[in-house]
């Protein structure tokens, strides 16, 4: 899906990484969930035996609420009836799949039952898995990053306070650096001096330059300076941090629109990606965040953080079904490499867990 992160740049030698700064441990921003020290070169960044096993481990809370309850519900049933489907509806909604998504999934199952194509309760699990996978895959049809013909690839990152936005930017910069790209970070969150400091610390950790203005400076002017510098120095990727803001505050959303206009004026086609970072633990409130940010700046991709901290991981499916905006990355832990490319099949497999080996007595 995101080929930039799967191979090194072939047309030039990889740039040496800047060594991690010898800074004392820093307190993570609210919701960042980030380790207090810089990673050591060559040190394993994550455990586990593959992405699926890591996802299964991190999605344990959701699986206990979702897959385990489905298994318990289906175990020992001889037929599919109205009571079973009603109970299944409760399980799906409780896991934050949402009313509309749940209704569509169960309508498909009911049609199969009515046509006598589905009678075994155990087969309902496959119907759910296939339906959820279909929603996730449909959103990925427009998932690839489109490289501009010239100039830097610009990513504008938005989101409310506390979702782990700055942490995500740091991890994303690391992914680009690992794939051989030159990266520039722009600290356009000038409303909080701490936000500028946090991004600069991340720049030191992953070995990339940060353009930052003074606190309370015009965010658009900082963005302008950053893009000018990237064009001059030939940097390939620019990631712009914006102020965390309440999505319900119209004046703050207008500031985002202004930043986007400045980007487009200076570099036609930019921003090439408008990425919303969303805290998976917010549940249905996340749906309203997606809707309002999308109306303001036309989102092109999503990153979901803190999936390891929620029992309602069905929100991933709900968002894809409701908005058809691709989920590009998911955060499944605190390590630098725990920002993962989103792979629908692997996610669904991890969400449902392994085969239910229980036997009827």
């Amino acid at each position: 899906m995101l080929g930039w992160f799967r191979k090194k740049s072939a047309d030039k030698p990889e740039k040496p990484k800047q060594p991690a700064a010898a800074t004392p441990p820093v307190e993570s921003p609210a919701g960042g969930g980030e380790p207090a020290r810089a990673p050591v070169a060559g040190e394993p960044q994550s455990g586990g035996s593959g992405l699926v096993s890591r996802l299964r481990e991190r999605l344990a809370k959701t699986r206990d609420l979702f897959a385990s309850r489905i298994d318990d519900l289906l175990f020992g049933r001889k037929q599919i009836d109205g009571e079973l489907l009603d109970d299944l509806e409760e399980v799906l909604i409780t896991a934050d799949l949402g009313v509309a998504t749940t209704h569509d999934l169960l309508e498909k199952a009911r049609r199969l039952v009515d046509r006598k194509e589905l009678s075994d309760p155990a087969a309902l699990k496959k119907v759910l898995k296939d339906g959820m996978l279909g929603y996730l895959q449909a959103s990925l049809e427009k998932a690839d990053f489109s490289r501009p013909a010239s100039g830097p690839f610009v990513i504008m990152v938005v989101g409310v306070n506390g979702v782990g936005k700055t942490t995500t930017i740091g991890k994303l910069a690391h992914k680009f650096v690992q794939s051989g790209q030159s990266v520039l970070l722009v600290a356009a969150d000038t409303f909080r001096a701490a936000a500028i400091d946090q991004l600069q610390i991340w720049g030191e950790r992953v070995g990339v330059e940060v353009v930052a203005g003074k606190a309370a400076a015009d965010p658009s002017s900082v963005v302008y300076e950053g893009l000018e510098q990237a064009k001059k120095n030939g940097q390939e990727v620019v990631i712009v941090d914006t102020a965390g803001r309440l999505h319900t505050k119209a004046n703050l959303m207008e500031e985002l629109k202004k930043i986007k206009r400045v980007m487009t004026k200076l570099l036609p086609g930019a921003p090439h990606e408008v990425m919303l970072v969303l805290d998976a633990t917010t549940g249905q409130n996340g749906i309203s965040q997606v809707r309002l940010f999308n109306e303001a700046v036309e989102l092109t991709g999503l990153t979901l953080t803190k999936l390891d901290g929620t029992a309602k991981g069905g929100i991933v499916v709900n968002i894809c079904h409701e908005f058809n905006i691709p989920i590009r990355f998911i955060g499944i832990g605190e390590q630098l490499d725990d920002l993962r490319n989103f792979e629908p099949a692997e996610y669904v497999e991890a969400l449902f867990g392994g085969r239910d080996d229980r036997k009827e007595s």
Side-chain angles (χ1 to χ4, degrees):
M1 178 179 71
L2 300 170
W4 261 337
F5 308 131
R6 295 209 174 120
K7 58 176 183 270
K8 297 288 184 181
S9 178
D11 56 350
K12 57 186 171 183
E14 182 182 355
K15 297 180 181 179
K17 291 184 182 179
Q18 178 177 324
T23 55
V26 292
E27 184 176 349
S28 300
E34 196 53 42
R37 65 175 179 83
V40 178
E43 179 183 79
Q45 295 300 311
S46 59
S49 55
L51 177 58
V52 174
S53 63
R54 287 279 290 152
L55 277 172
R56 288 194 63 188
E57 175 189 343
R58 296 300 186 179
L59 290 174
K61 291 182 179 180
T62 294
R63 194 165 55 253
D64 287 345
L65 179 67
F66 179 65
S68 297
R69 287 184 63 188
I70 290 177
D71 287 337
D72 291 341
L73 187 62
L74 299 180
F75 184 65
R77 294 290 187 115
K78 300 300 184 181
Q79 63 180 356
I80 300 174
D81 53 23
E83 180 183 0
L84 174 58
L85 293 176
D86 287 344
D87 291 342
L88 189 55
E89 180 179 31
E90 180 182 349
V91 172
L92 298 179
I93 291 177
T94 303
D96 255 356
L97 266 81
V99 174
T101 302
T102 296
H103 179 268
D104 285 355
L105 284 170
L106 293 183
E107 276 302 302
K108 292 177 182 178
R110 288 188 177 96
R111 287 196 296 269
L112 291 173
V113 172
D114 291 342
R115 295 198 299 260
K116 309 298 184 183
E117 296 176 22
L118 178 65
S119 59
D120 181 6
L124 266 175
K125 191 172 181 179
K126 184 178 186 306
V127 172
L128 294 176
K129 290 178 69 173
D130 290 348
M132 292 167 65
L133 182 59
Y135 297 146
L136 297 176
Q137 289 177 330
S139 70
L140 293 184
E141 293 178 358
K142 53 181 180 180
D144 281 339
F145 283 157
S146 299
R147 296 172 184 255
S150 62
F153 180 81
V154 181
I155 303 174
M156 177 182 177
V157 183
V158 301
V160 303
N161 284 321
V163 297
K165 183 160 51 68
T166 305
T167 295
T168 297
I169 289 171
K171 292 179 179 180
L172 181 57
H174 173 69
K175 290 176 78 70
F176 277 114
V177 169
Q178 291 294 102
S179 66
Q181 310 294 316
S182 58
V183 180
L184 178 70
L185 302 182
V186 178
D189 181 357
T190 59
F191 293 102
R192 294 187 306 124
I196 299 173
D197 294 340
Q198 289 159 4
L199 196 66
Q200 288 174 327
I201 289 171
W202 268 110
E204 293 171 351
R205 285 178 177 176
V206 301
V208 301
E209 189 176 355
V210 179
V211 171
K214 296 180 180 179
D218 179 8
S220 298
S221 68
V222 179
V223 170
Y224 187 94
E225 179 185 348
L227 292 186
E228 284 281 31
Q229 179 171 320
K231 290 168 61 179
K232 178 181 177 180
N233 297 339
Q235 281 149 321
E236 297 160 297
V237 180
V238 178
I239 308 176
V240 179
D241 187 16
T242 62
R245 56 199 68 225
L246 293 173
H247 53 289
T248 54
K249 298 294 184 181
N251 60 320
L252 297 179
M253 297 299 275
E254 287 299 321
E255 183 64 45
L256 283 185
K257 296 178 184 179
K258 179 182 176 183
I259 291 173
K260 186 178 179 182
R261 288 195 301 269
V262 168
M263 290 181 177
T264 304
K265 184 175 181 179
L266 180 61
L267 191 64
H272 308 97
E273 171 80 3
V274 181
M275 181 181 295
L276 174 66
V277 179
L278 195 66
D279 180 346
T281 65
T282 59
Q284 289 302 302
N285 185 47
I287 296 294
S288 64
Q289 290 181 33
V290 176
R291 179 175 294 108
L292 293 173
F293 275 103
N294 191 43
E295 290 173 355
V297 289
E298 298 181 41
L299 301 174
T300 59
L302 304 172
T303 292
L304 267 71
T305 63
K306 307 180 193 177
L307 274 171
D308 55 334
T310 181
K312 299 186 176 184
I315 190 68
V316 175
V317 181
N318 194 5
I319 288 171
C320 287
H321 180 237
E322 289 272 339
F323 299 100
N324 200 32
I325 299 172
I327 294 175
R328 301 205 186 279
F329 307 103
I330 55 175
I332 60 169
E334 298 180 348
Q335 302 298 334
L336 195 62
D337 291 327
D338 281 341
L339 183 68
R340 303 284 188 162
N341 294 0
F342 181 64
E343 301 288 351
E346 292 171 342
Y347 180 82
V348 171
E349 180 63 28
L351 187 64
F352 276 87
R355 179 173 58 90
D356 187 9
D357 291 322
R358 292 173 298 184
K359 305 293 183 183
E360 292 186 47
S361 57

